[in-house]
Amino acid sequence: MEELRLAGEKVYLRPMTIEDTDKIVRWRNNPRVRKNFIYQKPFTRQGHLTWIEEKVNTGEVIQFIICEKGTDRPVGSVYFRDINAEHRRAEYGIFIGEDDAAGCGFGSETCLLACEYGFSVEKWHKIILRAFSDNQAAIRSYEKAGFVREAYLKDEVCIDGTYRDMVLMGFINPEERKG
């Protein structure tokens, strides 16, 4: 996995390493990023190191760094969590951490690359994701990659005393839908 590199036209994905910790902590604490996560508390270095130890190193999570092609600049992260081998599924998550990289199409391309990895390498049948219903740009990006809306979850989470709706989306492995 350490040598794996998935490349598109604008970005490539490489496995996350412990050396990425400070960038990830900075990105996750960016208010623009944090507002789209269920977990809203400040992100810490120790919390991320625990995530690596308890989730990534155990195989419950696969996480990549999104790098801008041509400059090799890390701009965000994409991951699969709650990986379930029995049901051959995982939950997708992404964030573009660098402000000047948001809205450049990196997220859409990353979604395509990551899902292709999930279906062709991990052999998952389904990838799901949850998005806040008011995050329309992200939902359009996910739909462009192949996700479909499966459920609207009213008052799904309470953040700072306010309930927020979520959309549950799914993407079935296209190779398994054929025939």
Side-chain angles (χ1 to χ4, degrees), residues 21-160:
T21 297
D22 292 336
K23 280 188 290 291
I24 290 172
V25 170
R26 179 174 51 85
W27 292 336
R28 283 285 276 115
N29 286 322
N30 179 331
R32 179 186 53 77
V33 172
R34 191 187 319 189
K35 74 178 182 178
N36 291 313
F37 273 85
I38 295 169
Y39 184 81
Q40 298 269 313
K41 295 179 180 135
F43 218 64
T44 66
R45 179 175 174 73
Q46 185 54 52
H48 184 68
L49 294 173
T50 300
W51 166 268
I52 292 171
E53 184 179 325
E54 294 178 0
K55 301 294 184 182
V56 177
N57 292 347
T58 63
E60 282 184 57
V61 169
I62 297 171
Q63 188 163 359
F64 298 101
I65 296 297
I66 306 163
C67 296
E68 188 174 30
K69 215 168 173 187
T71 66
D72 294 327
R73 177 177 74 133
V75 296
S77 185
V78 61
Y79 56 89
F80 294 103
R81 59 177 287 154
D82 299 329
I83 296 168
N84 186 308
E86 179 183 356
H87 299 292
R88 295 180 43 233
R89 71 168 184 246
E91 183 173 347
Y92 176 86
I94 184 174
F95 54 93
I96 302 299
E98 297 296 337
D99 288 333
D100 66 343
C104 296
F106 295 164
S108 295
E109 187 173 76
T110 294
C111 190
L112 290 167
L113 291 169
C115 289
E116 174 59 27
Y117 166 84
F119 294 139
S120 65
V121 176
E122 297 296 329
K123 307 293 187 204
W124 294 326
H125 172 71
K126 184 176 185 177
I127 299 170
I128 64 163
L129 65 80
R130 294 172 291 166
F132 287 117
S133 64
D134 60 357
N135 192 353
Q136 289 299 309
I139 291 170
R140 280 191 303 276
S141 175
Y142 301 141
E143 288 174 332
K144 190 173 163 182
F147 281 89
V148 296
R149 298 174 201 215
E150 294 188 346
Y152 190 90
L153 309 170
K154 186 80 177 147
D155 288 351
E156 181 68 7
V157 295
C158 184
I159 297 173
D160 295 329

